[in-house]
Amino acid sequence: MATITDPRAFLRSLYDAAVQRALPARNTAAHLPPPPDTHGPRRGRTLVLGAGKAGGAMAAAVDTLWPAEAPLSGLVVTRYAHVPPAYKFRPGRIEVVEARHPVPDEAGRRAAQRIVELTRGLTEHDLVLCLVSGGGSALLSLPASGLTLEDKQAINQALLHSGAAIDEMNCVRKHLSAIKGGRLAAMCAPARVVTLLISDVPGDAPEVIASGPTVPDATTCADAQAICGRYGIELPAAARAGLESGAFETPKPGDPLFTGHAVHMIATPQQSLEAAAAAARNAGVAAHILSDEMEGESREVGKVHAALARAVARRGEPFAKPCVILSGGETTVTVQSKGAAGQAAGRGGRATEFLLGCAIALQGEPGVHVLAADTDGIDGIEDNAGAIVTPSTLARAQALGLKAADFLDRNDAYNFFQPLGDLVTPGPTFTNVNDFRALLIV
Amino acid sequence: MATITDPRAFLRSLYDAAVQRALPARNTAAHLPPPPDTHGPRRGRTLVLGAGKAGGAMAAAVDTLWPAEAPLSGLVVTRYAHVPPAYKFRPGRIEVVEARHPVPDEAGRRAAQRIVELTRGLTEHDLVLCLVSGGGSALLSLPASGLTLEDKQAINQALLHSGAAIDEMNCVRKHLSAIKGGRLAAMCAPARVVTLLISDVPGDAPEVIASGPTVPDATTCADAQAICGRYGIELPAAARAGLESGAFETPKPGDPLFTGHAVHMIATPQQSLEAAAAAARNAGVAAHILSDEMEGESREVGKVHAALARAVARRGEPFAKPCVILSGGETTVTVQSKGAAGQAAGRGGRATEFLLGCAIALQGEPGVHVLAADTDGIDGIEDNAGAIVTPSTLARAQALGLKAADFLDRNDAYNFFQPLGDLVTPGPTFTNVNDFRALLIV
């Protein structure tokens, strides 16, 4: 059994393993189809389309891997500041446009319109590579015919307040979009479409990631109407007409349109957790993955993880120690105290809030170290990805006059961990498979 | 491997096993010392003192087990409505007084004063049986000399808002009490003191349960002063004087006062979880105890348990299925929407809030059943102990027009589960080892 001499470095190595597993540069090659013929009667070109927070890195990876002699062009939308510098300052064959997320802006709408235009004139010999990652739904927002962006946003707000389940909301959204729910694939016909996906959703369903622009949609206009009726969602006349006439119907599973298409999941939260688990086991430490889809209020999820770590530390259950406990998913932060502009009074994202809740519940439990960090390298809007809790965290904070509970009260976890020197700051990773948490119990 | 034909009945049998393990009637006999001599020069009597939510049931158990010919008398304080009917309506040799919890009242103060008086005149041949359970601290509240109950309550409020840790608050409280922190044992000298405990605190430390009236206190007056200084707690003159002079010092570990004393833990959350685990294993189902001290906002803790259950159901990790996952501890409910009187607008306690958060996150996951119930038989202030979630919970609710999210929004989980016929209603158990949660994944 291994002795971990440097728990911080060990936990950081697990985070690095998780992030590496999610990097397009490392995981795209195996999933790329051969390019279309460059000569002869079946000659074709390759068009790259896509959207999502990892769009820039995915485009860069495809461009690097794609043969120089094969025609390659296209347009991918990503979030502002999400283009890897190497591709941003030395642009390649794929244009990468930046737009606003999570609330769409005009840059995103224009990019979506251009993507629609780029699909015109594709032939059966052409290949479309569609690069889809989390955030793609908002970044690639184009209302169905007759609807405005404002119409869609109003319906979206009504849905969010209706109590409808997430899959019910997605059903309505897909049917009021010109791109989602397989419609982008329909536009690309007769070309073959190969979709590369990075998942940031529970269950990793291709039809859910970025609302599935290139995959079949099993839900119908009638379903969307029923959901709007059930939750009392008012629809503009154009939306009602489109749903009633079936004009807004999405392509269904089994539609010949999808024949020959392929969907490859190049990175998922679970795969990154498994990579971290493998790294731990390689170092001689047992690893247990709790879940790849942990949700809930960050500080409360932190308390539950702390209780589990204490049970392992004190009783060796439900897992024998030493061990690593891993979890993924996407927790939330409810702002407790707001500043002048209605913004959070403090600094910090999901990872540091989780850790502060965890540290307070651990109360310096000996032998327990915890790392939490976002796989995109950005915890909320800060320059850190996350932080590390050690058995001495609370004592070191007290020596500096920092009261953990006060920082939690004002959502200021960043400013708790920063003076301790315990932030994890890898910089932006330009990929995203959500949160990463690792607890080492020795 | 067993097939569970009736998941509801199976989960209920695990709850029953957990409660039975915590019943004083079943777990007291093994821990009772022999009575003092009834004749001769070493002749003595037995005095029963105590406080806590399980006080009535503990007194009834001792009275039943104690030899009829041995002199037995005493006074135990419990919460209003917490005396088992069999003892309440056919009183025995031990008087059981009811008082207010968690805010002390005059009935509690009078009972504490009477307990102090009962300790007068004890000899070295007498035995004191002290019956301590959760809630005893508030039920047995007697300020140190020169302080009023109002002084203590004001200091307590200041501590609660100071950011002090729970062990720091307890240090101050013990030094400002006439009974806590071993002082009750000091009053009983020279009699032998045997303490029977039912734990409802994380870690099961005897000095924490009901503030340890009969066990040594390792903290000092100087510690209490330092804590008040650190958090800026203003003290009345009598409190300052008592702490500075050492007049309020508590008996310390190693004090000869405790020679010959004994402390027996007759029930703990962990023991009840282990009893449930044993019951599951006897039925051929693997059981895993997550933690006996799970804390956090109930609905959020529910989401985390749901994520874990889904990981088991879908991937067989971190545990192979079929299995039972168990957890204990005490979660909290933050009231979201208040009614006219500032009370919660809805009905329901920790258990049903946990379950509603869990059910929404499970989204009808096949093969997952969840029971959560308070071991005292009372979820908050309702007539149920908890409830059960099945894979069909959300669908059955929808068929009745019940929207789960709405009920959660107004803390009305009781009224969600009641029409489904899914409440668990064993009635008051008159014991308490906190929450019990069991997830069956097949």
Side-chain angles (χ1 to χ4, degrees), chain A residues 392-404 416 420, chain B residues 168 230-231:
Chain A
S392 66
T393 294
L394 293 186
R396 287 184 288 124
Q398 190 163 32
L400 294 178
L402 309 173
K403 292 180 193 168
F416 178 83
L420 299 178
Chain B
E168 293 176 320
R230 188 178 310 144
Y231 295 102

Side-chain angles (χ1 to χ4, degrees), chain A residues 302-373:
Chain A
K303 289 179 192 169
V304 177
H305 281 67
L308 199 56
R310 282 165 64 117
V312 172
R314 296 180 173 195
R315 306 188 206 269
E317 72 178 7
F319 309 115
K321 63 177 181 177
C323 73
V324 165
I325 297 174
L326 300 166
S327 77
E330 186 171 356
T331 62
T332 46
V333 171
T334 305
V335 174
Q336 305 289 309
S337 66
K338 292 191 176 170
Q343 300 297 306
R347 296 177 64 188
R350 307 191 295 264
T352 48
E353 280 249 338
F354 166 90
L355 287 169
L356 196 46
C358 194
I360 292 170
L362 281 171
Q363 286 287 321
E365 184 73 24
V368 179
H369 288 75
V370 187
L371 179 150

Side-chain angles (χ1 to χ4, degrees), chain A residues 230 270 289-297 300-301 303-304 307-308 310-311 315 317-319 398 403, chain B residues 230 270 289-297 300-301 303-304 307-308 310-311 315 317-319 398:
Chain A
R230 186 178 310 145
Q270 178 72 11
I289 300 173
L290 287 188
S291 168
D292 66 336
E293 51 174 33
M294 201 64 86
E295 296 182 339
E297 185 70 23
E300 307 299 322
V301 178
K303 289 179 192 169
V304 177
L308 199 56
R310 282 165 64 117
R315 306 188 206 269
E317 72 178 7
F319 309 115
Q398 190 163 32
K403 292 180 193 168
Chain B
R230 188 178 310 144
Q270 178 69 13
I289 300 173
L290 286 189
S291 168
D292 66 336
E293 51 173 34
M294 202 64 87
E295 296 182 339
E297 185 69 23
E300 307 298 321
V301 177
K303 289 179 192 169
V304 177
L308 198 56
R310 282 165 65 118
R315 307 188 205 269
E317 72 177 7
F319 309 116
Q398 189 163 33

Side-chain angles (χ1 to χ4, degrees), chain B residues 110-398:
Chain B
R110 270 202 311 267
Q113 189 60 52
R114 284 185 57 208
I115 282 176
V116 170
E117 285 155 15
L118 286 170
T119 62
R120 296 201 180 126
L122 286 165
T123 76
E124 62 187 303
H125 304 308
D126 295 332
L127 171 69
V128 175
L129 283 178
C130 195
L131 311 180
V132 178
S133 56
S137 188
L139 291 166
L140 201 61
S141 195
L142 198 65
S145 172
L147 293 179
T148 64
L149 201 56
E150 290 68 34
D151 288 338
K152 270 196 75 177
Q153 285 171 348
I155 295 165
N156 206 27
Q157 282 301 310
L159 281 168
L160 285 171
H161 291 94
S162 71
I166 181 71
D167 56 342
E168 293 176 320
M169 291 194 265
N170 284 338
C171 168
V172 176
R173 287 170 181 157
K174 281 184 181 183
H175 284 90
L176 301 181
S177 160
I179 284 193
K180 301 179 183 17
R183 283 217 189 68
L184 182 61
M187 282 178 220
C188 292
R192 181 178 180 225
V193 178
V194 173
T195 304
L196 304 187
L197 290 172
I198 294 181
S199 172
D200 70 338
V201 303
D204 304 326
E207 67 272 23
V208 179
I209 303 165
S211 298
T214 59
V215 293
D217 173 31
T219 68
T220 65
C221 279
D223 291 334
Q225 285 178 285
I227 291 160
C228 290
R230 188 178 310 144
Y231 295 102
I233 309 290
E234 298 277 347
L235 293 176
R240 273 203 313 276
L243 291 177
E244 273 165 26
S245 68
F248 288 176
E249 198 50 274
T250 49
K252 296 286 159 281
D255 191 315
L257 155 69
F258 298 103
T259 309
H261 287 200
V263 174
H264 300 289
M265 197 71 71
I266 72 164
T268 68
Q270 178 69 13
Q271 288 166 347
S272 280
L273 292 171
E274 284 169 4
R281 289 171 194 142
N282 282 344
V285 181
H288 308 281
I289 300 173
L290 286 189
S291 168
D292 66 336
E293 51 173 34
M294 202 64 87
E295 296 182 339
E297 185 69 23
S298 305
R299 63 182 67 190
E300 307 298 321
V301 177
K303 289 179 192 169
V304 177
H305 281 66
L308 198 56
R310 282 165 65 118
V312 171
R314 295 179 174 196
R315 307 188 205 269
E317 72 177 7
F319 309 116
K321 63 178 182 177
C323 72
V324 165
I325 297 174
L326 300 165
S327 77
E330 186 172 354
T331 62
T332 46
V333 172
T334 305
V335 174
Q336 305 288 310
S337 65
K338 294 189 175 170
Q343 302 295 307
R347 296 178 65 187
R350 306 191 295 264
T352 47
E353 280 250 339
F354 165 90
L355 287 168
L356 195 45
C358 194
I360 292 170
L362 281 172
Q363 285 288 321
E365 184 72 24
V368 178
H369 289 75
V370 187
L371 178 149
D374 288 28
T375 54
D376 66 0
I378 305 161
D379 188 28
I381 55 168
E382 303 297 347
D383 58 4
N384 68 317
I388 288 184
V389 165
T390 77
S392 67
T393 294
L394 293 186
R396 287 183 289 123
Q398 189 163 33

Side-chain angles (χ1 to χ4, degrees), chain A residues 415-427:
Chain A
N415 285 320
F416 178 83
F417 288 105
Q418 195 273 330
L420 299 178
D422 289 344
L423 294 178
V424 172
T425 53

